[in-house]
């Protein structure tokens, strides 16, 4: 039985910009920027391990310093399946239909892709919850994953990559609050509450391009510019494409990151098959290229979310990497 979603008013905190202006290194998004919730303090790591493989969005394989290996199941979360069929009944509001199941599978691929990009080959901290046993039914370690001082488990829930897994873990209240916001804003897997409005096209990285009903899609995200991001602002960009059959008027539409940096398009209509690339730096706007005009980088190299809203402020597209 799904736990009743909690309502929790938590203060929003400031989030760092896409990259550090001092060092040029990407600033990792804090929990405050994920789901509009107050930051959930990352616990102190009980041990440090290297991530050697990603099984799926919520399960990884790790190696200890002595060379032995283990399998870790992330505490408090459940990402959609990629190796077996999903049961939409486990995800509140997702219809128990073929479309609902297929949409969840795409969301599961997205979660797995994020784990590969963010965790694979990295050293991360593992922390255990005092309310839970250290190992689960399949003898997997049950742990929080801490990377760059961010609680990765919470990040997945706040960005809609995972639902909260019902158990008596100590951070459940904050996780449920983040899930509620993600569901309300239809982030990530929660777009599957209306799967007929979601179409997926496979990407080379194993993820999917999600197209809005009008055919608009986020078809390219280039977050890591060659060299220092802050010195090569036009080396990072996002591309939107019209995959539909009718023109799409983007005037007044916005593109934003997790930290709330926002760009608004002016006087732009995309014909069917046309694309526009939004560069972070300076340049001359054309029908196919737009320039944000920022003095510092926006997109976090270690993971971020591209959000597109229409002129009325309604969420149209969202893609995390």
């Amino acid at each position: 039985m799904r736990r009743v979603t909690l309502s929790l008013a938590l203060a929003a905190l400031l989030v760092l910009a896409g990259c550090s202006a001092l060092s040029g290194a990407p600033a990792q998004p804090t929990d405050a920027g994920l789901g509009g919730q107050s930051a959930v303090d990352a616990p102190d790591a009980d041990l440090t391990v290297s991530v050697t493989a990603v099984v799926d969005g919520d399960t990884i394989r790790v190696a200890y310093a002595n060379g032995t290996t283990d399998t870790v199941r992330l505490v408090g979360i459940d990402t959609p399946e990629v190796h077996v069929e999903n049961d939409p009944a486990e995800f509140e509001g997702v219809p128990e239909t073929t479309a609902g199941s297929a949409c969840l599978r795409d969301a599961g691929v997205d979660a797995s892709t994020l784990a590969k990009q963010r965790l694979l080959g990295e050293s991360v901290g593992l922390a255990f919850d005092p309310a839970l046993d250290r190992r689960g039914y399949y003898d997997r370690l049950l742990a929080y994953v801490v990377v760059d001082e961010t609680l990765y488990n919470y990040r997945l829930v706040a960005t809609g990559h995972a639902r909260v897994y019902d158990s008596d873990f100590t951070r459940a209240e904050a996780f449920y609050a983040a899930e509620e916001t993600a569901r309300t804003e239809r982030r990530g897997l929660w777009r599957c509450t209306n799967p007929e409005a979601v179409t997926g096209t496979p990407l080379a990285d194993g993820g999917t391009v999600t197209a809005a009903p009008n055919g608009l899609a986020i078809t390219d995200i280039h977050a890591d510019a060659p060299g220092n991001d802050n010195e090569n602002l036009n080396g990072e960009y996002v591309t939107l494409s019209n995959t539909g059959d009718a023109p799409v008027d983007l005037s007044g539409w916005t593109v934003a990151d997790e930290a709330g940096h926002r760009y608004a398009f002016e006087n732009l209509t995309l014909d069917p098959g046309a694309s526009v690339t939004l560069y972070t730096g300076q340049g001359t706007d054309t029908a196919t290229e737009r320039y944000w005009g920022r003095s510092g980088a926006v997109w976090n190299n270690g993971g971020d979310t591209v959000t597109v809203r229409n002129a009325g402020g309604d969420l149209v597209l969202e893609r995390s990497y």
Side-chain angles (χ1 to χ4, degrees):
M1 202 62 191
R2 291 280 293 154
R3 174 174 171 175
V4 177
T5 305
L6 299 177
S7 295
L8 183 65
L10 297 170
L13 301 178
L14 294 176
V15 182
L16 295 174
C19 292
S20 169
L22 294 177
S23 65
Q28 300 303 327
T30 65
D31 291 336
L34 307 173
Q37 308 300 322
S38 283
V40 174
D41 291 336
D44 293 332
D46 293 297
L47 50 89
T48 300
V49 297
S50 298
V51 180
T52 59
V54 171
V55 178
D56 55 28
D58 57 34
T59 305
I60 57 176
R61 294 196 175 99
V62 302
Y64 300 109
N66 64 5
T68 60
T69 61
D70 216 334
T71 300
V72 178
R73 177 65 165 78
L74 275 64
V75 163
I77 69 166
D78 181 35
T79 61
E81 301 290 346
V82 293
H83 302 297
V84 298
E85 288 298 314
N86 284 284
D87 181 4
E90 295 179 351
F91 297 86
E92 187 175 349
V94 177
E96 297 181 44
T97 62
T98 300
S101 179
C103 183
L104 286 172
R105 182 176 180 81
D106 285 344
V109 171
D110 280 345
S112 295
T113 300
L114 179 63
K116 291 173 184 176
Q117 294 173 337
R118 194 70 189 88
L119 304 180
L120 188 58
E122 300 293 332
S123 292
V124 303
L126 297 184
F128 303 107
D129 194 296
L132 301 175
D133 294 333
R134 287 204 174 191
R135 292 194 179 270
Y137 182 76
Y138 296 104
D139 199 37
R140 298 176 298 189
L141 276 180
L142 304 178
Y144 297 106
V145 171
V146 181
V147 56
D148 295 320
E149 300 182 353
T150 296
L151 183 53
Y152 186 74
N153 310 46
Y154 177 83
R155 184 184 198 278
L156 291 181
V157 174
T159 55
H161 283 95
R163 72 178 179 96
V164 179
Y165 185 78
D166 293 325
S167 60
D168 296 325
F169 66 106
T170 55
R171 290 172 170 79
E173 188 173 36
F175 275 49
Y176 275 111
E179 181 189 74
E180 181 176 11
T181 298
R183 287 184 63 245
T184 299
E185 298 189 1
R186 297 187 69 241
R187 295 176 174 171
L189 72 87
W190 302 113
R191 295 171 303 175
C192 298
T193 55
N194 182 16
E196 302 302 332
V198 178
T199 58
T201 303
L203 284 176
D205 66 3
T208 57
V209 169
T210 298
N214 63 3
L216 187 69
I218 300 169
T219 52
D220 194 10
I221 303 171
H222 197 275
D224 190 1
N228 185 320
D229 287 9
N230 287 304
E231 296 175 357
N232 185 15
L233 296 177
N234 289 336
E236 64 167 38
Y237 53 82
V238 172
T239 299
L240 304 181
S241 302
N242 182 358
T243 65
D245 300 322
V248 177
D249 185 0
L250 293 182
S251 302
W253 290 41
T254 61
V255 173
D257 68 349
E258 285 178 351
H261 303 106
R262 185 171 287 102
Y263 172 86
F265 288 104
E266 295 182 357
N267 302 320
L268 178 63
T269 297
L270 281 187
D271 291 327
S275 298
V276 61
T277 298
L278 174 60
Y279 296 95
T280 299
Q282 305 280 344
T284 301
D285 290 344
T286 68
T288 59
E289 296 178 336
R290 292 297 167 103
Y291 295 85
W292 203 319
R294 290 188 56 83
S295 59
V298 172
W299 306 109
N300 283 300
N301 297 348
D304 212 328
T305 298
V306 182
T307 300
V308 179
R309 295 183 181 272
N310 63 22
D314 299 320
L315 179 65
V316 176
L317 282 172
E318 186 175 72
R319 179 166 181 80
S320 297
Y321 61 88

